[in-house]
């Protein structure tokens, strides 16, 4: 494993992290035994960074990680980056809420599910424009003082808002959508994004010494190179809700992924490793929070650490992905 260090986080962070969304079964379903095997493969590979959220599996992801962490006793060997601000009702309809009352409730729920007394990086999952950021920042300061959280991260925020937030308290990390084909993209599922990752977030994190966590590094699987067509999700899979996987958007993305796959075959490396290494060669990237549906995928993604993209390869890749630079 390779570890990276940024000014605003004391610990060294593994450049490959683990995204725990699909532990909760929102994707194609995942048994807890499968989750346990994924986690063991991650720990074996030297991963020390776990990105998770209460809403993943509507609390199940945190619960299962809590059980497995307790059973194997690795809590103090990892950094847990959980989140707050996305609440859901009995019909699982979500809403943004970063009010003091809600955060104070959410943190105790997360700590109890994770069976720990603190969360290392507590991230605001999405902005909540109905709550003044002063109220949210004051609440996070209280949590820090109480020792319930150590660092604060913002996820999916515009850089103007990050700047405003930093006038109230230190921001240690940022998380945004970023992969070879979603570099400055303007939407995630049906949500408009208030930031351009490559153009705005990357320069900001670099200048401010923040950890940067790109999410969906494999474009939810499209950049694994295994897709034959668009119809491979089961009915329950949340990726059905991503409009980029339906027409009119899908064909362009799929054709480009096919071109990248042909390039990957030509240079003799799998596309998933190319996609991971394309992110890894960016100095701003602290940890790539990659999701895996089984332990084999986790191991396959870790194999990217065995080689690096050369400047020539980067140039050739750029000619393929250039049309997506500002998409
Ligand atoms: N802050 C936010 O708003 C936000 C939003 C989204 C995600 N995230 C975080 O980012 C993490 C990762 O993002 P993501 O899960 O959206 O996307 P991702 O990491 O781009 O894709 C993960 C999926 O790609 C496929 N895959 C992974 N490795 C593979 C391999 N070696 N070979 C073949 N297929 C492979 C698997 O899907 P199959 O089931 O098809 O095999 C896997 O579940 C999440 O777990 C979460 O922690 C955060």
């Amino acid at each position: 494993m390779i570890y990276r260090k940024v000014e605003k986080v004391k610990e060294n962070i593994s450049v490959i992290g683990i995204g725990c969304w699909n532990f909760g079964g929102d994707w194609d379903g995942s048994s807890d035994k499968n989750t346990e095997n994924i986690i063991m493969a991650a720990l074996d590979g030297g991963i020390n960074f776990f990105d998770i959220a209460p809403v993943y599996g509507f609390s199940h992801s945190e619960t299962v990680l809590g059980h497995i962490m307790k059973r194997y006793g690795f809590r103090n060997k990892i950094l847990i980056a959980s989140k707050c601000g996305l609440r859901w009702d009995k019909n699982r309809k979500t809403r943004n809420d970063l009010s003091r009352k809600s955060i104070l409730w959410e943190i105790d729920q997360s700590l109890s599910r994770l069976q720990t007394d603190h969360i290392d990086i507590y991230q605001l999952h999405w902005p909540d424009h109905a709550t003044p950021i002063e109220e949210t920042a004051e609440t996070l300061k209280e949590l820090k003082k109480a020792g319930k959280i150590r660092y604060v991260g913002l996820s999916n925020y515009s850089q103007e808002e990050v700047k405003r937030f930093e006038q109230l308290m230190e921001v240690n990390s940022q998380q945004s959508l970023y992969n070879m084909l979603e570099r400055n993209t303007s939407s995630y599922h049906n949500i408009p994004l208030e930031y351009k990752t490559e153009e705005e977030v990357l320069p900001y994190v670099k200048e401010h010494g923040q950890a940067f966590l790109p999410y969906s590094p494999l474009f939810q699987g499209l950049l694994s190179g295994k897709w034959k067509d668009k119809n491979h999700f089961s009915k329950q899979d949340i990726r059905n809700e991503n409009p980029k996987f339906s027409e009119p958007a899908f064909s362009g993305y799929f054709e480009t992924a096919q071109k990248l796959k042909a390039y990957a075959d030509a240079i003799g490396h799998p596309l998933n490793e190319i996609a991971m290494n394309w992110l890894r060669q960016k100095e701003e990237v602290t940890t790539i929070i990659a999701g895996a549906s089984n332990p084999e995928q986790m191991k396959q993604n870790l194999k990217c650490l065995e080689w690096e993209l050369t400047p020539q390869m980067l140039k050739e890749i750029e000619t393929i992905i250039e049309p997506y630079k500002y998409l």
Side-chain angles (χ1 to χ4, degrees):
M1 179 53 68
I2 292 163
Y3 296 87
R4 287 194 171 163
K5 170 85 187 74
V6 293
E7 191 192 314
K8 288 200 171 132
V9 178
K10 200 175 77 194
E11 292 79 7
N12 291 319
I13 299 177
S14 54
V15 72
I16 313 290
I18 174 166
C20 305
W21 187 4
N22 46 10
F23 292 180
D26 299 339
W27 290 52
D28 210 1
S30 172
S31 70
D32 292 353
K33 184 66 198 161
N34 184 48
T35 296
E36 181 177 331
N37 293 338
I38 296 171
I39 291 174
M40 290 304 132
L43 295 173
D44 274 355
I47 286 178
N48 71 356
F49 195 95
F50 284 59
D51 179 76
I52 196 157
V55 74
Y56 295 164
F58 300 98
S59 76
H60 191 69
S61 288
E62 283 191 336
T63 302
V64 73
L65 177 60
H67 283 312
I68 294 168
M69 227 163 34
K70 180 101 190 260
R71 186 164 347 128
Y72 291 95
F74 59 84
R75 170 66 189 96
N76 294 330
K77 296 199 171 101
I78 63 166
L79 294 171
I80 297 179
S82 194
K83 309 189 185 83
C84 62
L86 260 194
R87 300 286 304 272
W88 63 93
D89 64 17
K90 60 180 184 334
N91 299 316
R92 299 190 160 184
K93 190 175 168 347
T94 55
R95 67 184 161 85
N96 302 106
D97 191 344
L98 288 171
S99 63
R100 179 172 189 278
K101 186 171 167 225
S102 184
I103 294 177
L104 293 181
W105 183 82
E106 278 207 275
I107 184 72
D108 288 339
Q109 297 289 311
S110 283
L111 291 175
S112 152
R113 286 190 290 258
L114 289 162
Q115 305 189 46
T116 184
D117 61 358
H118 70 278
I119 284 168
D120 298 287
I121 304 187
Y122 204 43
Q123 304 169 96
L124 306 182
H125 205 151
W126 288 89
D128 164 18
H129 297 301
T131 303
I133 62 167
E134 290 77 7
E135 176 180 333
T136 303
E138 278 312 309
T139 312
L140 294 176
K141 279 189 205 167
E142 269 178 56
L143 297 186
K144 262 183 126 171
K145 216 166 168 193
K148 292 184 179 184
I149 64 171
R150 298 180 52 230
Y151 300 116
V152 165
L154 299 189
S155 165
N156 296 305
Y157 270 68
S158 74
Q159 298 315 284
E160 291 73 47
E161 223 164 345
V162 174
K163 225 180 270 170
R164 280 185 60 215
F165 210 91
E166 285 217 284
Q167 284 159 6
L168 303 168
M169 76 182 303
E170 186 172 72
V171 173
N172 307 88
S173 69
Q174 286 203 59
Q175 181 172 155
S176 335
L177 175 59
Y178 192 47
N179 60 54
M180 282 203 288
L181 298 182
E182 292 178 296
R183 297 165 70 170
N184 291 294
T185 193
S186 55
S187 64
Y188 175 71
H189 284 214
N190 287 307
I191 311 170
L193 296 176
E194 297 167 10
Y195 57 87
K196 299 267 176 249
T197 303
E198 197 164 278
E199 266 186 15
E200 299 167 2
V201 183
L202 261 51
Y204 193 98
V205 293
K206 187 173 170 185
E207 190 188 336
H208 293 80
Q210 296 169 337
F212 174 57
L213 292 52
Y215 72 76
S216 297
L218 295 183
F219 203 156
Q220 298 188 331
L222 175 64
L223 292 173
S224 70
K226 73 175 176 195
W227 289 18
K228 303 273 179 280
D229 56 52
K230 65 182 163 184
N231 296 315
H232 81 286
F233 302 135
S234 71
K235 261 197 185 141
Q236 75 185 70
D237 197 308
I238 198 151
R239 286 172 288 187
N240 289 308
E241 291 172 17
N242 188 345
K244 291 176 188 165
F245 296 154
S246 308
E247 296 307 345
F250 184 72
S251 295
Y253 286 117
F254 184 64
E255 274 162 33
T256 311
Q258 291 295 92
K259 281 186 200 158
L260 285 166
K261 170 80 172 66
Y263 179 74
D265 292 344
I267 64 167
H269 290 287
L271 182 53
N272 65 303
E273 293 181 30
I274 292 179
M276 299 285 285
N277 277 344
W278 184 84
L279 288 169
R280 187 160 73 84
Q281 51 87 28
K282 305 254 173 204
E283 60 174 321
E284 296 88 350
V285 169
T286 310
T287 180
I288 304 167
I289 45 169
S293 293
N294 54 54
E296 289 70 38
Q297 290 183 354
M298 172 54 69
K299 289 178 201 161
Q300 283 161 7
N301 295 339
L302 283 165
K303 277 178 93 62
C304 76
L305 295 168
E306 294 169 12
W307 65 285
E308 280 180 29
L309 290 164
T310 63
Q312 179 61 25
M313 289 173 184
L314 284 168
K315 243 193 238 163
E316 287 160 357
I317 290 169
E318 187 62 27
T319 59
I320 304 174
I321 64 177
E322 163 72 26
Y324 291 88
K325 205 165 180 169
Y326 299 104
L327 250 199

